Amino acid sequence: MFDFINNLLDISLTYYNELSFVSHTLILISLIMVPLLIIVAYYTYAERKIIASMQGRLGPNVVGPKGLLQPLADGVKLFFKEIVIPTDSNKFLFLLAPVVTFTVAFAAWAVIPFDSVMVLSDINAGLLYILAMTSLGIYGIIIAGWASNSKYALLGAMRSASLIIAYEIAMGFALVGVIMASGSLNLGDIINSQKGSVFNWFWVPLFPLFIIYFISGVAETNRAPFDVAEGESELVAGFHVEYSGMGFAVFFIAEYANMILISALTSILFFGGWLSPFNISTLGYFELNGFVNNILLFLINDGIHWFIVKTFFFMFCFIWFRATFPRYRYDQIMRLGWKILIPITLIWIFIEMIFIYYKVEPWFA
Amino acid sequence: MDIITILFYLVTSVIILSAISLIIVNNTVHAALLLVLIFFNSAILWLMLKAEFLSIVLVLVYVGAVLVLFLFVVMLLDIPVRKNSNQKLYLLFSVVTSLVMFAELYMVIFYHNFTNEVNIITSSELNNTYQIGLMLFTDYIFSFEVTAFILLVAIIAAIAINMTEKQRSLRQDPGKQILESKKSRLRIIKGNKL
């Protein structure tokens, strides 16, 4: 027994560096994951409340004060529900699909810079990594649709797959525009190249690409008005129709995490991430007493709060779209993706090339 | 043992095992998913060689796009699982092919002097992506452009093949749909004739 513990200690000493690195990283990951999951939970609550107020209803208001405990109640309910596995379905793949969706949705957060120093993994090919991870999200949907052994689920998965393939190209071209403007694949460098004021951000020179990126983002996450994959009126619930309990909940969480990811990326790529919209040097000094002055300075300076504000704005837009637009027909979605969005991105990349060649101020100086 | 070495053996064993089972499994969807696993682990292998650009592009292009289309086709066609009747013939061919490939690889690896030929830039200041871009657009510009041209031809050919089907299929004309108005669709009948 003593020998065994000694051996274990020996091993842990040999791999001390690796072990400390792993534990350090795990703590950082949980620091990202836990707030994200809480935001996801309250995002569902916000969605129900906002849509309710847009439609003149009250929304959830029974559980807790103003219905604030509703997400917890939903979670508990889904957790204790029975997981039904359909007959003749592929059990392994059926259970694997939600795991894949969840993993991929959260893996992309590894390279998101929350602040000038707050980033889990500051890799050079950050944008490429995000593109790769978002393109993997489709596997969860396809596997779920196929393994369910249900016609509705398979049709939903097929619709979703063709939709994601179509809009991924437009999304990729929009990102090419950002890469050309910033000259880097690193997300931190992309933000730093937008330094200045609100008009130095990339949304001004890349306005069409910004619009296309956000539209493609809405389509990639299968949200209204592009939610043909779920299509309640035609396919019941699309690819996750056979899932119950936690399986359904995991798909749900992944979808909302993806929405938050797209919002965060839009704010990073086109709206300067953690950069402040004000140019501090032109504002001058504040003639206030010490404490208030410090708080004000902190608020106008660059920081994580600007990133959060921008991200929350785009998250609100997702809900706003859902409350406003009716669902696209399937062939209309395909036409919009292939025949409108992709040609616009190609043309705008060409125009941007001219901008860069003539060094148009202040973005391409 | 170094942690990188352990990881290497883990990843390569996953690749080899899933490659073998890829050939053995009867279900085509399982085979496609095993191919996804192989590509993913190859990407990890490249990442361990510090080729981050190539490894992420492998995941993006092959796993994210090509294999999605594979799965798409395999699921839609619903290929029935059936036993091959002439298994011995297949076995003969597969043994011959694998022996030839093994011999080729053996010759490439053991009779070839790698050390003096490949000129790898290993400065830490330039990142991997930048180096690949530099090489593609300077030393290998001709082959790079030729590849791009071949791909363009392939795209146009694929579209051209599809265009011939146009007469037989029913499709909507978006222009007509947009120009449609209330007047051309609705007719109000006056009077008490009903």
Side-chain angles (χ1 to χ4, degrees):
Chain A
M1 189 62 198
F2 189 72
D3 273 3
F4 174 71
I5 292 168
N6 229 1
N7 274 335
L8 214 65
L9 244 151
D10 259 15
I11 290 168
S12 60
L13 277 178
T14 4
Y15 295 117
Y16 177 73
N17 279 329
E18 281 85 358
L19 277 176
S20 71
F21 173 74
V22 166
S23 55
H24 180 76
T25 315
L26 280 177
I27 291 168
L28 287 181
I29 288 172
S30 62
L31 278 179
I32 295 176
M33 285 282 285
V34 172
L36 202 59
L37 283 170
I38 294 169
I39 291 174
V40 164
Y42 277 92
Y43 194 19
T44 61
Y45 171 76
E47 177 174 28
R48 291 165 71 176
K49 272 289 189 194
I50 290 167
I51 290 182
S53 80
M54 281 178 180
Q55 295 171 344
R57 295 182 284 115
L58 279 177
N61 60 351
V62 178
V63 191
K66 303 243 171 202
L68 269 170
L69 295 177
Q70 185 68 43
L72 291 178
D74 286 343
V76 170
K77 185 197 97 176
L78 286 169
F79 191 78
F80 286 109
K81 273 204 164 186
E82 186 192 355
I83 295 176
V84 182
I85 294 172
T87 40
D88 283 339
S89 64
N90 194 314
K91 196 174 174 186
F92 176 70
L93 289 181
F94 185 80
L95 294 177
L96 183 75
V99 179
V100 170
T101 318
F102 189 84
T103 314
V104 166
F106 282 87
W109 284 90
V111 295
I112 298 283
F114 298 94
D115 196 347
S116 48
V117 285
M118 246 190 270
V119 51
L120 177 63
S121 160
D122 193 15
I123 61 173
N124 279 322
L127 197 55
L128 214 57
Y129 171 80
I130 285 193
L131 205 58
M133 282 301 136
T134 46
S135 72
L136 288 182
I138 189 174
Y139 276 99
I141 294 171
I142 292 189
I143 294 172
W146 185 77
S148 294
N149 189 31
S150 155
K151 286 187 184 66
Y152 289 133
L154 188 65
L155 279 175
M158 286 301 149
R159 281 183 175 193
S160 169
S162 51
L163 185 127
I164 289 178
I165 289 169
Y167 281 80
E168 209 173 75
I169 299 169
M171 199 180 212
F173 275 128
L175 293 182
V176 166
V178 175
I179 295 166
M180 278 164 73
S182 64
S184 173
L185 284 168
N186 183 304
L187 289 172
D189 289 349
I190 288 173
I191 293 175
N192 279 325
S193 61
Q194 305 179 42
K195 264 213 160 79
S197 71
V198 62
F199 297 110
N200 287 45
W201 299 346
F202 285 150
W203 69 275
V204 187
L206 308 179
F207 190 73
L209 296 186
F210 152 61
I211 298 290
I212 285 169
Y213 181 80
F214 199 56
I215 292 174
S216 317
V218 175
E220 287 251 310
T221 46
N222 288 319
R223 290 292 298 181
F226 300 99
D227 57 345
V228 283
E230 291 174 25
E232 288 90 348
S233 48
E234 308 135 34
L235 296 178
V236 191
F239 63 93
H240 57 56
V241 65
E242 301 291 344
Y243 283 86
S244 59
M246 276 319 274
F248 171 75
V250 166
F251 273 120
F252 208 70
I253 291 168
E255 183 181 324
Y256 281 77
N258 273 328
M259 281 156 69
I260 301 171
L261 179 75
I262 294 291
S263 313
L265 280 175
T266 315
S267 75
I268 285 170
L269 299 174
F270 298 97
F271 284 80
W274 30 263
L275 293 178
S276 156
F278 309 109
N279 195 344
I280 307 291
S281 55
T282 58
L283 278 176
Y285 293 102
F286 290 92
E287 298 296 327
L288 291 163
N289 58 28
F291 184 65
V292 178
N293 196 6
N294 279 345
I295 287 180
L296 265 177
L297 262 181
F298 171 75
L299 284 181
I300 341 179
N301 255 318
D302 305 339
I304 189 172
H305 53 284
W306 285 115
F307 175 70
I308 292 172
V309 166
K310 290 165 189 171
T311 308
F312 275 24
F313 172 73
F314 290 112
M315 282 159 67
F316 176 74
C317 284
F318 268 95
I319 299 171
W320 197 3
F321 291 162
R322 190 183 157 190
T324 314
F325 298 123
R327 183 182 301 135
Y328 266 107
R329 214 171 54 204
Y330 181 73
D331 65 304
Q332 289 173 330
I333 289 184
M334 285 296 131
R335 204 174 72 240
L336 180 72
W338 289 105
K339 291 188 178 170
I340 299 172
L341 296 188
I342 293 175
I344 292 175
T345 51
L346 286 173
I347 290 166
W348 202 261
I349 284 173
F350 191 75
I351 293 171
E352 199 190 337
M353 221 154 69
I354 297 166
F355 279 179
I356 292 172
Y357 187 77
Y358 288 104
K359 294 194 170 25
V360 176
E361 298 275 352
W363 309 286
F364 306 109
Chain B
M1 223 175 356
D2 190 16
I3 201 105
I4 293 290
T5 322
I6 299 171
L7 202 64
F8 172 79
Y9 281 113
L10 192 74
V11 167
T12 42
S13 55
V14 169
I15 292 178
I16 291 167
L17 280 177
S18 43
I20 291 168
S21 43
L22 165 68
I23 305 165
I24 293 170
V25 289
N26 283 322
N27 194 326
T28 39
V29 173
H30 289 179
L33 288 173
L34 281 164
L35 201 56
V36 172
L37 195 64
I38 292 171
F39 277 130
F40 223 92
N41 281 285
S42 316
I44 296 172
L45 221 55
W46 279 1
L47 208 59
M48 276 156 47
L49 294 170
K50 287 174 183 158
E52 55 177 31
F53 180 78
L54 283 178
S55 101
I56 296 174
V57 164
L58 180 76
V59 172
L60 179 62
V61 174
Y62 280 92
V63 181
V66 175
L67 276 165
V68 171
L69 292 176
F70 260 54
L71 266 179
F72 212 82
V73 173
V74 163
M75 282 176 187
L76 281 183
L77 288 183
D78 195 22
I79 301 159
V81 181
R82 59 159 179 256
K83 288 274 174 199
N84 289 320
S85 48
N86 43 3
Q87 287 228 331
K88 275 180 187 165
L89 194 70
Y90 278 110
L91 192 70
L92 181 73
F93 273 114
S94 57
V95 165
V96 169
T97 322
S98 47
L99 277 177
V100 168
M101 277 184 78
F102 179 77
E104 279 177 355
L105 280 176
Y106 187 84
M107 281 192 276
V108 164
I109 291 166
F110 290 101
Y111 294 104
H112 204 280
N113 193 6
F114 283 107
T115 48
N116 300 327
E117 282 186 15
V118 188
N119 183 19
I120 307 167
I121 315 161
T122 44
S123 84
S124 53
E125 292 144 34
L126 298 175
N127 64 51
N128 194 265
T129 318
Y130 188 86
Q131 285 172 25
I132 287 174
L134 212 63
M135 289 304 253
L136 280 183
F137 285 97
T138 53
D139 293 6
Y140 300 102
I141 181 74
F142 182 68
S143 39
F144 183 66
E145 293 294 330
V146 166
T147 318
F149 191 74
I150 291 170
L151 284 174
L152 183 68
V153 170
I155 293 170
I156 293 169
I159 294 169
I161 289 168
N162 237 359
M163 287 294 242
T164 55
E165 302 279 306
K166 201 174 182 180
Q167 284 83 19
R168 279 191 284 140
S169 64
L170 291 168
R171 61 174 68 193
Q172 285 130 337
D173 186 355
K176 265 185 192 168
Q177 289 182 337
I178 291 164
L179 288 174
E180 210 66 61
S181 67
K182 198 164 78 180
K183 266 184 186 168
S184 60
R185 283 300 171 115
L186 289 173
R187 193 159 53 90
I188 297 165
I189 304 165
K190 283 182 181 172
N192 301 328
K193 282 170 189 171
L194 295 170

